[in-house]
Amino acid sequence: MGRRGTIVTFGEAMLRFTPPSLQRIEQASAFELWVAGAELNVAVALARLGEPATWVSRLPDNALGRRLAGHARANGVAVDVEWDPQGRLGLLFVEVGQRPRRTASLYDRDASAFATLDPAAFDWPALLDGARAFHTSGITPALSPACAQATADALKAAQDAGCHTSFDLNYRALLGTSEEARTKVEALAPQIDTLIASAGETKAVFGLEGEPADVAAALRDRLGIERVVISSRIDTGHATQVRRSVCVDADIVQADSAEFVTVDPLGGGDAFSAGFLAGLLADGARRGLELGGAMAALKQTIPGDFAILDPGEVEELAGGSTYAGTRR
Amino acid sequence: MGRRGTIVTFGEAMLRFTPPSLQRIEQASAFELWVAGAELNVAVALARLGEPATWVSRLPDNALGRRLAGHARANGVAVDVEWDPQGRLGLLFVEVGQRPRRTASLYDRDASAFATLDPAAFDWPALLDGARAFHTSGITPALSPACAQATADALKAAQDAGCHTSFDLNYRALLGTSEEARTKVEALAPQIDTLIASAGETKAVFGLEGEPADVAAALRDRLGIERVVISSRIDTGHATQVRRSVCVDADIVQADSAEFVTVDPLGGGDAFSAGFLAGLLADGARRGLELGGAMAALKQTIPGDFAILDPGEVEELAGGSTYAGTRR
Amino acid sequence: MGRRGTIVTFGEAMLRFTPPSLQRIEQASAFELWVAGAELNVAVALARLGEPATWVSRLPDNALGRRLAGHARANGVAVDVEWDPQGRLGLLFVEVGQRPRRTASLYDRDASAFATLDPAAFDWPALLDGARAFHTSGITPALSPACAQATADALKAAQDAGCHTSFDLNYRALLGTSEEARTKVEALAPQIDTLIASAGETKAVFGLEGEPADVAAALRDRLGIERVVISSRIDTGHATQVRRSVCVDADIVQADSAEFVTVDPLGGGDAFSAGFLAGLLADGARRGLELGGAMAALKQTIPGDFAILDPGEVEELAGGSTYAGTRR
Amino acid sequence: MGRRGTIVTFGEAMLRFTPPSLQRIEQASAFELWVAGAELNVAVALARLGEPATWVSRLPDNALGRRLAGHARANGVAVDVEWDPQGRLGLLFVEVGQRPRRTASLYDRDASAFATLDPAAFDWPALLDGARAFHTSGITPALSPACAQATADALKAAQDAGCHTSFDLNYRALLGTSEEARTKVEALAPQIDTLIASAGETKAVFGLEGEPADVAAALRDRLGIERVVISSRIDTGHATQVRRSVCVDADIVQADSAEFVTVDPLGGGDAFSAGFLAGLLADGARRGLELGGAMAALKQTIPGDFAILDPGEVEELAGGSTYAGTRR
Amino acid sequence: MGRRGTIVTFGEAMLRFTPPSLQRIEQASAFELWVAGAELNVAVALARLGEPATWVSRLPDNALGRRLAGHARANGVAVDVEWDPQGRLGLLFVEVGQRPRRTASLYDRDASAFATLDPAAFDWPALLDGARAFHTSGITPALSPACAQATADALKAAQDAGCHTSFDLNYRALLGTSEEARTKVEALAPQIDTLIASAGETKAVFGLEGEPADVAAALRDRLGIERVVISSRIDTGHATQVRRSVCVDADIVQADSAEFVTVDPLGGGDAFSAGFLAGLLADGARRGLELGGAMAALKQTIPGDFAILDPGEVEELAGGSTYAGTRR
Amino acid sequence: MGRRGTIVTFGEAMLRFTPPSLQRIEQASAFELWVAGAELNVAVALARLGEPATWVSRLPDNALGRRLAGHARANGVAVDVEWDPQGRLGLLFVEVGQRPRRTASLYDRDASAFATLDPAAFDWPALLDGARAFHTSGITPALSPACAQATADALKAAQDAGCHTSFDLNYRALLGTSEEARTKVEALAPQIDTLIASAGETKAVFGLEGEPADVAAALRDRLGIERVVISSRIDTGHATQVRRSVCVDADIVQADSAEFVTVDPLGGGDAFSAGFLAGLLADGARRGLELGGAMAALKQTIPGDFAILDPGEVEELAGGSTYAGTRR
């Protein structure tokens, strides 16, 4: 019973605990409570742009799980969750750092309600009924064999339903080796219309290095995916910028985001994915880079993982993008 | 496009600011942020019990209005709001006191987006499509002539649609004289199936005094409303209890709630209304008193206006109710 | 019953609510409480320098109004307020942003106790008795026709009493068109000794562009005001600086402030006005630029609108100013 | 340059640090900041009732001293302070307990700016010019010989100026033996019009026990003070009440306060003193007991030492006092 | 490498998260951070009394584990922990309620570093070298078969080393059935010198009901344990008291604790165990009831699980105990 | 009774109060609580690296003193404190600023338990038994003549015991003139193996200016101390770096630290001292510069004075140091 035109995302979300005021976990006497999860972050960012978005997941039916679902609904996402009467919620402890101290994440997601899902419990044709697009990331299949099966099922069903399918590589060394990640994405590639990745990930997983445009082209050729988007960070000393290239057929479009001051880096890539999808589906890849770059820059000025944005401010910033298009 | 079986409530909601830790407004250097509004409180409490609930209202389309709507959605309420591109959000400043200092409310709701609504903008047959019941309170028609018109329209449409209609007297001296309140409820009475009031209100508005059972019977006769519920507080020194009577035809059912320690009194009556409605519609007035009494007692142990409850704990407490039924 | 030598300011002040830790309004579960209002900010900054300062205004006689007045008194300002037994206090919701997210203000000041003042209730000769100077800004006459009348009355009375009069252009698009602002300041110009404005405002209101020195000279000629001060921001990438020029007769003095990191930009211009006035009255415009530049830079490192400063640290920073004086 | 009709109080005030949420000092990672000091508390409570009140003291001229003075001014007190360029501010750490854990105070006030005052620096005739009454407590002379001298000077000057003089016994074992306290109050007695004490203190200092009325009469006879007021706590199990008697000549008036729930006990006695003085000076001792009892009960429901009250709520509660007058 | 005369405790500890100000988990935007664990609580309470105490456990070697160990050390406990390079820390989410809302605990401790310990890794003779007593509770063997083995090993080694051994029944339905609990304690009974339990637990596990004295005697007979202590809560309406009986041979000593207001109930029983042990070892069971009753009452007025007490305040309260000794 | 191989530090520590979120002391309604003290900071930083560290000091035996000692123990430091039954704890109020507002410290440490120590109470041979090194700073002898005597005793005993001795110049103008500081360090020089200072201090105390390498060499010659380390800050506009040189014999090693963003500058020098000592003792001065530079950079990104670090992150950053060695 999907909503007309919705974009469906699928993945785990966790409660995220962060010490206030740049403290370390070992100092904190209280933790701020956020919600984190790549695919839910994408759904939230889409909903903030005014796009109907549905998040499919599995949560324990306890106060923590309800807290998480409420936070998603508060941000306008339709929550289509299987409630697990027993399981545990995945947790994430994040310290936000300042140079040279890194933002550090401590995951506690083993054996979560999501990781222990039953793939047969998800009726994908029904979940995707009326959907326009489907999105997930490399984290989902890496969580457990059952999750890998569910990811494959979902992508297949999405392709069958005529949805646009997108996949964020999101390689996490804690969840598996780079070989495992590569094998998984190669197997899923035939069902993927758009692949999104960072330069760091493509180096780790595919051994590809170079300018975003070159990596995008090489990866497109290698995986046979129609559209590949690659991002690469530029540190300007006092702020950050991201250069992103998307390769479709022989065309490459490239754009540098606005400079931004990082208040909380988590969820920046997910905000990009959301903006890219919204722009791509409305008006092509160039528009996707515009919206995605603006959303990612704004998101990183906001505490927490969610892109609590306003279409107006996104549009205002997106208007200032600079492009460099090439034909290879 | 109502949801099947939903209970629709209609009224204003406000951001509520409360100084932390029993401070006074004049001391505070920060305010905690809650959401308050009798009819939204009822919808939230219903949703927490697992009843589908829809809140119809009007909000300004700015960060404050969106914050409020998000808070309602996070608690499981379907939000059917007309977004006002210009208006302001009603605000409420609440100091929670301890004996003999009273919990004090300072309202700043004049000229709010809700008060300046256009009755014609609400398509009640559509809003009530599929609904099982409609609920509002005496605050709504007291806010402005336009709100009074919308209330009358809604009750009429609900009656026409075969919904159960309930009305909480909710007399607020700041919003009008007791004569005005009486006149309004008398005019609406033919469209009301269940009237809910406190002993204090019925004294102020109708000059009726006495035990809840007597007041309920007298008011039922006077207004010709099928079902009247009256509540009266009992202070036990170290805790509070509420005695409530409902009069239907010649039958009167009475129940005393569990004793409770008051952490935040606001929203207690609304939690009762929600529990009463849910119980009444499922299994009659006796069940309504059980659920309503348990929910009101639990609510008042929780900060904020919302009854953030669990069906299990409500049921556990409701099971312990003691009754005294009489036939007059 | 003014205090000898006091500087009197006149205008509205509001409670200001700001989410903590760079959060957005839609995320916040609590708001920090500050006090904001251009003319009160000027009075506070003067008092912190050791200058007697009196703030004339109108406030509702409720807990919010008293909270605001207490905050002003705590900072050493003499509060000469007409207490409105009924009205509401103006409110301001501010999100402090980081690049590229802007610091955003959401005003809720319509129909405030100040905006609904009665000009006849202010006995200006008495309020200005013994005063040395009078200051207000373009916000005050823009709030309502009554406020415009009171502003004109006050400036006239100040001129009659031999006070120095200063006026900060403070153009706010939300309060009126640029034509209205221009018309108002042109009408008041004969009663103004010193006009203070930013380059952005003079472009919006008078269509004047260019270096601060040129704009100051042009505006002086156009309005026939003895002294015009123009400020223009310089973003150095990692910090901010302001270049300011004051034009008196044929003389132009220009100074660049120290670089500063912006913690809270609100009240920066007001701190400048205070320092400029204090310096000007004591030792001329050059000293005014010194003190004003130091105070504005320091203010913006401090949360809230008030310049909670120490004369010693202002002097220490003011000593390092660099000048460029020219004769046109 | 006193204000007409002001009530002048004289004593030390301290910054008070309290762990939040009933935590112990050893647990806290932050302390809430309050201001404490018996005589300043009295001045604040008077100002809140609308009585002009002036606090005479000595403070270090640093950020802590200014913070304290600002807090006093914010509450409407005229601050007449000698600023010490060097000294330190007295500090007080308070844990608020729940039965059977006591509210515990840890003082750090040795060698404070106040304790090291120079009695000759206080020009009492000028400070008391136009004053209606003078109030201090037994803490002030106990702080140092210089403070004892200043207290004697002040009381003498107040008597000479025709002010009503009041003295709260306020015995603190940490500041001296009971013999020292007794000797000091006996020496000052000829300059005291009204003595205020608790039953616990009169037992410790004078060895007097019994009902408040009897103790008041006995102490009046012993010290030759015109008016003696004695308070005694009554614990009702779930709340607290205070019985107070005032003995003047052969008349004894007695009243029991309203029951109150204790949120913060500090400053309760000072709120009583303020209310008693205001009532006494306006309408005699009976009115004093009414106002004082209401203010002390309300104060103890409020965090911090200050009686942040409203004349309306005091009056409402004072109206409910019950009396028992006797003639001995 | 034990410390001379130390009391060694063995068990799991968890980070405990609690929403501030009586909020529910679903409302909270931040959680306060405490440390919880029955046997660590006992060690902390002993250390606060001045008894050397050592806590033996297993923790993950990450920021959360180090945070927990630091909190234990800060309270004076010697921490003898096996650091697990991989595992996860057990977590506990606690909502503190007010009547009739219960204090609710949500455990997330499955597969923790402690539960997955290797019994062979604990060299008990070395860990107990020089120890005076050993304490654990029924939670420890219930966590996993490995934990059950380690508990048996520890009790055996303690008995061999001549340590006094004590065991708190601590039945947790979430960790196993009552049969499993009974079987485990029956198997361990020969190694236990003192068994501590509540009336609720003995009813659930052994089906024994009645006054504490009777239950203690019956359980002593049944298990053949030298000394059995039984506690039973008495709710006085506005406060709580606990009646406790200890049965040794034919002697029964009974004492009622002071009344206390509950701020945080967790850790109350552990504080009793610590005080009982300290008193028992110093001066027999009567002294144990005195100290234990005082510590448990004081603990429950303090936020968090730890008994952050002072020997002086414990002694002061313990002095007021009332006894009823009987010979059966 | 020292621990084998421990590094012993000796000095005062204070509770440090800091307003949250870059507020000024005059604005704050609460203060965050930290612990500060150069020599304790060094001990904490050593312990975080895995080096056994013991802090010798004197504290008042009250809740504040225990709070401080607990904070030290929580961070792994062995606390060897003389408990003063009467005295007061030194306090420090710190405002963290942003350019151009300085981080400001307000000390309140006069007559503290530490400053009033009895040198004879410290049995240095026992305290240093088994120690590898001893560290103190110029603050300690500046606190009082008794402290100066204790410092001399300690250094002498350390030298006799064959410990490496290090001394951080730590010149504080508030504690004495530069002549006094120079005289004291000259007298202690024969007992010092390593002297650590900043360029600012050496200019103030010895009148030496220039590049760190030159100052280090000059000071080594002048004082006859084997090893002198000099630090000098480099402001890069958007971040900070420190250049440090150590001169031993004719060898000079120089290294520039990583760039860092300053969250809290206090304790940066102490973190360097700890890292330098650990590196020096393990592998010579070059390794000392590596570890010290990394620790100081990381520390300044962390709120509070303590270097809450992880050996892994220190090593990772230390690996990137760049050196410039010269032979003079």
Side-chain angles (χ1 to χ4, degrees), chain B residues 133-306:
Chain B
F134 174 81
H135 177 83
T136 189
S137 90
I139 293 169
T140 308
L143 290 171
S144 70
C147 291
Q149 183 60 52
T151 308
D153 294 351
L155 280 166
K156 186 69 174 52
Q159 201 178 41
D160 291 351
C163 295
H164 177 273
T165 60
S166 51
F167 190 90
D168 182 341
L169 188 55
N170 257 347
Y171 171 60
R172 296 285 186 276
L174 282 171
L175 294 175
T177 66
S178 55
E179 285 81 37
E180 290 167 344
R182 191 171 62 243
T183 307
K184 277 178 183 144
V185 75
E186 285 168 354
L188 297 171
Q191 274 80 47
I192 297 172
D193 295 324
T194 298
L195 180 73
I196 300 168
S198 73
E201 289 171 342
T202 48
K203 183 177 171 199
V205 175
F206 297 100
L208 292 169
E209 292 190 72
E211 276 295 298
D214 300 331
V215 173
L219 197 56
R220 184 179 182 280
D221 291 349
R222 176 158 172 178
L223 293 176
I225 287 176
E226 184 189 351
R227 191 178 296 100
V228 172
V229 191
I230 301 297
S231 304
S232 176
R233 286 190 168 247
I234 308 161
D235 188 333
T236 69
H238 51 274
T240 306
Q241 248 184 319
V242 184
R243 170 164 297 172
R244 294 188 179 91
S245 288
V246 52
C247 174
V248 200
D249 292 317
D251 289 317
I252 289 180
V253 191
Q254 178 176 302
D256 290 354
S257 79
E259 291 192 5
F260 57 91
V261 172
T262 303
V263 171
D264 188 326
L266 276 73
D270 303 321
F272 170 75
S273 293
F276 183 77
L277 282 174
L280 175 74
L281 296 176
D283 202 24
R286 179 178 291 261
R287 177 67 172 154
L289 286 184
E290 271 181 13
L291 289 181
M295 289 183 75
L298 288 167
K299 154 70 251 313
Q300 295 183 69
T301 67
I302 298 173
D305 278 51
F306 284 3

Side-chain angles (χ1 to χ4, degrees), chain C residues 48 261 301 303 308 313 316, chain F residues 24 26-27 99 101-102:
Chain C
R48 298 293 313 191
V261 172
T301 68
I308 312 287
E313 68 194 341
E316 182 187 336
Chain F
R24 304 214 80 165
E26 294 194 46
Q27 297 178 290
R99 190 169 22 139
R101 178 161 66 93
R102 304 187 179 191

Side-chain angles (χ1 to χ4, degrees), chain A residues 73-85:
Chain A
R73 280 192 203 103
N75 285 283
V77 170
V79 170
D80 208 331
V81 153
E82 195 202 6
W83 292 99
D84 174 358

Side-chain angles (χ1 to χ4, degrees), chain A residues 169 182 185-186 201-208 219 222-223:
Chain A
L169 187 56
R182 191 172 59 243
V185 74
E186 285 169 352
E201 291 169 342
T202 46
K203 182 177 170 197
V205 175
F206 297 100
L208 293 170
L219 197 56
R222 176 160 173 177
L223 294 174

Side-chain angles (χ1 to χ4, degrees), chain D residues 22 36 58 62 65 82 121 156 165 251 313:
Chain D
L22 299 170
R58 189 164 190 259
N62 61 24
E82 194 201 6
K156 187 68 174 58
T165 59
D251 289 320
E313 68 194 340

Side-chain angles (χ1 to χ4, degrees), chain D residues 173-185:
Chain D
L174 282 171
L175 294 175
T177 66
S178 56
E179 286 80 37
E180 289 167 345
R182 190 172 61 246
T183 306
K184 276 177 183 143
V185 75

